[in-house]
Amino acid sequence: RREQARLKASVVEEDTEEWQKDAHFTGLERVGGVDLSYVKGDDSRACASLVVLSFPALEVLYQDCRMVAVSAPYVAGFLAFREVPFLVEAVQRLQREEPQLQPQVLLVDGNGLLHPRGFGTACHLGVLTDLPCIGVAKNLLQVDGLVRDELHREQVRSLQRSGETFPLTGASGKVLGTVLRSYNNSSKPLYVSVGHRVSLGTAVRLVRACCRFRIPEPIRQADIRSREYLRK
């Protein structure tokens, strides 16, 4: 908790890059995605995957899949301590070996500020790499009074078309994230939250711009490739 609080002090919740301020993201050329896939039945062995895609074409420019030995236990609210070190290593490898392919923003399969202590995996990775980071979760993390009750389900049902959203406002009155319908053919939404060096509005626009299907392409490709690596 102390370490989370110390690192949280460095989180920047607004846009810091010129491309973020442009309606069409002019100047954004590379978007990264990260994922960890575990060996079935063995939560100590996983494949850590980092991909970099071109933007706006969303074609894979770079991929790095490595087997890693996960030693930190899983504790709810502290997942980042288990997974982020491997993702930081992957980013650092890329910076050393192919610096021209460094992503200008990272999409993370997980939460950012939408977290019991306002410091999820996307914040943790963002602060340690100092890259803009966005949390993209498939399920609602129930914090600060947010619950998957009938009212929430009704709001989700009200999202009829791709790009429609509603804010996630906690009991504290703070907007912790945005619920986004990312794909016309899927009624399951995404839960987008700020990780680091990006505003919530920009995060939502970018996630939507990266979606060919429900899951944004950088995360989808990182997941596909890590699972493929495990199969091999």
Side-chain angles (χ1 to χ4, degrees):
R1 282 172 187 263
R2 272 200 307 273
E3 180 70 354
Q4 278 182 335
R6 184 182 73 77
L7 292 170
K8 185 181 190 300
S10 301
V11 170
V12 176
E13 296 181 37
E14 61 255 4
D15 294 329
T16 59
E17 310 303 297
E18 282 306 309
W19 61 261
Q20 294 167 329
K21 296 159 190 167
D22 183 277
H24 305 290
F25 297 123
T26 305
L28 177 60
E29 297 175 352
R30 296 173 308 283
V31 180
V34 292
D35 185 65
L36 231 74
S37 292
Y38 288 85
V39 172
K40 211 168 186 170
D42 182 355
D43 63 0
S44 69
R45 292 172 66 229
C47 174
S49 161
L50 164 67
V51 297
V52 181
L53 276 60
S54 62
F55 187 88
L58 302 176
E59 286 162 357
V60 176
L61 303 173
Y62 173 92
Q63 76 169 56
D64 177 3
C65 294
R66 304 262 171 138
M67 291 304 294
V68 296
V70 183
S71 56
Y74 171 72
V75 182
F78 297 94
L79 177 67
F81 289 98
R82 186 171 158 82
E83 298 191 344
V84 163
F86 305 113
L87 304 177
V88 171
E89 281 173 14
V91 171
Q92 288 171 341
R93 253 194 317 273
L94 167 58
Q95 288 167 333
R96 275 196 313 273
E97 294 167 12
E98 304 264 9
Q100 74 284 5
L101 292 178
Q102 166 159 299
Q104 291 159 279
V105 58
L106 284 171
L107 270 56
V108 180
D109 180 7
N111 293 296
L113 297 178
L114 181 58
H115 177 269
R117 286 167 300 285
F119 194 73
T121 302
C123 297
H124 207 123
L125 183 61
V127 168
L128 292 184
T129 59
D130 200 32
L131 290 172
C133 251
I134 298 170
V136 185
K138 297 186 278 290
N139 298 299
L140 174 65
L141 188 62
Q142 304 192 39
V143 296
D144 193 13
L146 296 172
V147 283
R148 262 198 309 267
D149 57 6
E150 191 46 46
L151 172 63
H152 181 77
R153 286 191 283 271
E154 186 56 46
Q155 286 178 299
V156 168
R157 283 194 290 271
S158 76
L159 303 177
Q160 293 295 309
R161 285 194 307 278
S162 159
E164 292 186 353
T165 65
F166 65 87
L168 278 171
T169 308
S172 62
K174 186 171 165 65
V175 175
L176 300 173
T178 297
V179 185
L180 166 70
R181 179 159 180 163
S182 58
Y183 184 52
N184 272 335
N185 294 0
S186 174
S187 57
K188 290 180 176 173
L190 296 174
Y191 296 88
V192 180
S193 57
V194 168
H196 185 49
R197 291 178 56 183
V198 64
S199 68
L200 184 56
T202 298
V204 171
R205 282 195 305 122
L206 182 62
V207 169
R208 190 184 173 212
C210 288
C211 285
R212 285 183 175 154
F213 304 99
R214 178 191 170 213
I215 305 300
E217 207 59 15
I219 292 174
R220 201 176 83 88
Q221 289 298 331
D223 177 61
I224 287 170
R225 285 153 200 267
S226 61
R227 288 174 195 279
E228 181 62 25
Y229 191 87
L230 286 183
R231 267 202 299 277
K232 285 180 179 166

